[in-house]
Amino acid sequence: METVKSEHSSFCFGVKRAIDRVMKEIERKSHAIYTLGPIIHNPQIVSMLKEKGVIPVDDVTDISDGTVVFRTHGIKKEEEEYIQKKGLESIDVTCPFVKRVRKRAMYLKKHGYQVVIIGDKNHAEVKSVLSYLDNDGIVLQESCRIDARKIGAVSQTTLDRETFTSVVTGLLDGAEEIRVYDTICRSTQVRQQEAVKLAGLVDVMLVIGGKNSSNTTKLYKIAKKVQPKTYHIETDKDLKSDWFRGARKVGLIGGSSTPDFIIDLVDRRVKNL
Ligand code: SF4
């Protein structure tokens, strides 16, 4: 079976930076290292780090010593305040593109705009940005009219462009003035374009990455619209030979938190089918 791997398949800039920093910390320190929630949305990397002593915790108040690593998509303002108050050591690996969303949203609030965050209200990044607005913001994932004189919008970094455009269009109806910052990160945009292109060239498309990864799930949905035989898998163990009946060319793309070694394992397995 022939496989075609997307050029943009391994860790994005923000994830690579975070993992490199944590690996350095593992070598340097002997005490406990904690992350608030998973540091990235890839279960295989999170369990590999766990074996090296990096423990994900859900509640910051469970941490009383050691080093706390902020996850790539940001932590909440109150969590950061707790860490400072307790004098805990910390490493901030929040991606600069996520910090840019926060900065833009805070700027809009300061200048009197009703802030709208376009994204998933349950995603860690959106919760983080909202907390820095003291929860004074509206989260929208679908087009909806908001009546306010001034509306300022930002997007979750891993949002798809279709949702972004549709929500912004809906906001035009209710505001006298609207200011929009497109804060979808470049890595997300490039990967989404690649997914569409590749899905159109192959008989089966595999999107590889954590089932809990927002950007991987979006890649899957986007690719599936083009190639109905698109499957979202976490590792080579999820592959099913039925999917490839009659297929000659298989496309592979990873989410921004999918390590190269998992993509290579899938590649090898598909080639041998
Ligand atoms: S997907 Fe974009 S925003 Fe998220 S960590 Fe990667 S580079 Fe940063």
Side-chain angles (χ1 to χ4, degrees), residues 22 33-36 39 54 67-71 75 90-91 93:
V22 171
I33 302 171
Y34 299 96
T35 60
L36 280 175
I39 180 169
V54 181
T67 301
V68 189
V69 182
F70 299 4
R71 64 181 154 238
I75 64 170
S90 62
I91 302 172
V93 294

Side-chain angles (χ1 to χ4, degrees), residues 252-267:
L252 310 177
I253 190 165
S256 46
S257 48
T258 308
D260 280 334
F261 78 87
I262 292 186
I263 297 166
D264 290 344
L265 279 173
V266 173
D267 190 20

Side-chain angles (χ1 to χ4, degrees), residues 111-128:
H111 288 84
Y113 290 86
Q114 168 61 62
V115 181
V116 172
I117 306 165
I118 308 171
D120 173 3
K121 64 178 185 338
N122 297 315
H123 193 276
E125 176 184 321
V126 172
K127 288 182 183 171
S128 165

Side-chain angles (χ1 to χ4, degrees), residues 127-140:
K127 288 182 183 171
S128 165
V129 174
L130 197 55
S131 74
Y132 283 88
L133 300 173
D134 297 319
N135 294 316
D136 181 13
I138 299 170
V139 181
L140 292 181

Side-chain angles (χ1 to χ4, degrees), residues 114 138 144-151 170-171 173-176:
Q114 168 61 62
I138 299 170
C144 170
R145 182 190 167 113
I146 304 281
D147 288 306
R149 198 173 67 76
K150 289 167 69 169
I151 294 180
L171 292 175
D173 285 341
E176 262 177 49

Side-chain angles (χ1 to χ4, degrees), residues 12-15 72-73 95-98 125 157-158 185 187-188 215 256:
C12 65
F13 151 79
V15 168
T72 45
H73 280 225
C95 177
F97 297 125
V98 173
E125 176 184 321
T157 52
T158 50
C185 91
S187 161
T188 300
N215 80 81
S256 46

Side-chain angles (χ1 to χ4, degrees), residues 88-267:
L88 296 169
E89 272 189 52
S90 62
I91 302 172
D92 183 358
V93 294
T94 310
C95 177
F97 297 125
V98 173
K99 285 196 173 169
R100 186 178 61 175
V101 183
R102 187 194 296 171
K103 205 169 134 199
R104 299 276 197 243
M106 288 165 79
Y107 172 89
L108 289 167
K109 184 183 171 194
K110 190 171 156 207
H111 288 84
Y113 290 86
Q114 168 61 62
V115 181
V116 172
I117 306 165
I118 308 171
D120 173 3
K121 64 178 185 338
N122 297 315
H123 193 276
E125 176 184 321
V126 172
K127 288 182 183 171
S128 165
V129 174
L130 197 55
S131 74
Y132 283 88
L133 300 173
D134 297 319
N135 294 316
D136 181 13
I138 299 170
V139 181
L140 292 181
Q141 203 170 9
E142 281 172 9
S143 180
C144 170
R145 182 190 167 113
I146 304 281
D147 288 306
R149 198 173 67 76
K150 289 167 69 169
I151 294 180
V154 292
S155 54
Q156 183 182 333
T157 52
T158 50
L159 194 71
D160 59 287
R161 183 143 301 281
E162 203 183 316
T163 304
F164 177 71
T165 311
S166 134
V167 175
V168 169
T169 309
L171 292 175
L172 294 173
D173 285 341
E176 262 177 49
E177 182 190 333
I178 180 157
R179 187 160 185 167
V180 179
Y181 286 114
D182 174 0
T183 46
I184 301 176
C185 91
R186 172 121 183 92
S187 161
T188 300
Q189 292 187 37
V190 170
R191 252 171 241 253
Q192 289 178 358
Q193 287 159 3
E194 275 279 310
V196 171
K197 204 168 103 191
L198 190 54
L201 300 174
V202 295
D203 306 309
V204 174
M205 180 77 183
L206 299 174
V207 180
I208 309 154
K211 289 276 164 80
N212 59 345
S213 158
S214 158
N215 80 81
T216 312
T217 306
K218 288 206 180 81
L219 285 181
Y220 163 70
K221 286 184 181 162
I222 289 168
K224 197 158 176 80
K225 280 189 191 165
V226 182
Q227 171 50 268
K229 284 187 169 182
T230 294
Y231 303 96
H232 180 175
I233 56 168
E234 285 197 347
T235 69
D236 57 316
K237 295 191 178 73
D238 300 331
L239 290 170
K240 293 196 170 57
S241 48
D242 286 5
W243 298 345
F244 304 95
R245 209 161 284 147
R248 281 184 302 147
K249 221 186 244 184
V250 178
L252 310 177
I253 190 165
S256 46
S257 48
T258 308
D260 280 334
F261 78 87
I262 292 186
I263 297 166
D264 290 344
L265 279 173
V266 173
D267 190 20

